């Protein structure tokens, strides 16, 4: 995911060095979601628990990872409606605002 999305987000000034940890959370949430989805798809929705059948715990992991992913994805404008709210400053010389402008 990092290799697929980071270059485009960097080019648009949405992902800067200051955002790396938040973007890492996004990538990890997607990895957890995919792992949990594989577990759910490879087993039953209900599993045997101590007191009988219970909801597969992987479903909870999947739902939490999905919520985390969607919340953080919105910050990076990764859905069409979220992209409309992302505003990135562009300097007079065409450079994007952000950390790089502060270090020059």
């Amino acid at each position: 995911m990092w290799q697929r999305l980071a270059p485009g987000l960097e080019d648009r000034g949405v992902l800067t060095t200051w955002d790396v940890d938040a973007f890492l959370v996004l990538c990890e949430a997607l990895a957890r979601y995919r792992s949990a989805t594989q577990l759910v798809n490879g087993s039953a929705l209900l599993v045997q628990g101590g007191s009988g059948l219970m909801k597969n715990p992987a479903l909870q992991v999947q739902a939490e990872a999905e919520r985390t992913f969607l919340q953080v994805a919105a910050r990076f404008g990764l859905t069409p409606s979220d992209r409309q709210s992302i505003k990135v400053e562009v300097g007079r010389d065409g450079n994007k605002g952000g950390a790089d402008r502060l270090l020059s």
Side-chain angles (χ1 to χ4, degrees):
M1 176 166 178
W2 190 286
Q3 293 173 341
R4 182 170 53 95
L5 295 178
L9 293 173
E10 287 178 283
D11 289 346
R12 288 172 178 77
V14 176
L15 179 62
T16 69
T17 55
W18 293 350
D19 307 311
V20 170
D21 291 329
F23 193 68
L24 178 62
V25 169
L26 177 78
C27 293
E28 288 176 345
L30 182 59
R32 266 191 314 278
Y33 175 82
R34 288 179 176 171
S35 293
T37 299
Q38 286 179 340
L39 286 172
V40 170
N41 290 342
S43 63
L45 296 178
L46 297 174
V47 296
Q48 188 64 40
S51 59
L53 286 178
M54 61 181 270
K55 186 166 77 170
N56 188 332
L59 289 169
Q60 182 65 31
V61 173
Q62 182 188 40
E64 289 173 6
E66 180 181 10
R67 274 192 300 277
T68 300
F69 176 82
L70 292 174
Q71 288 172 347
V72 180
R75 295 176 186 167
F76 289 100
L78 293 178
T79 67
S81 61
D82 293 325
R83 271 192 294 281
Q84 291 178 352
S85 66
I86 298 290
K87 304 289 186 235
V88 178
E89 293 182 26
V90 177
R92 289 183 203 148
D93 60 356
N95 291 328
K96 294 161 187 72
D100 292 340
R101 70 178 167 81
L102 298 175
L103 301 174
S104 58

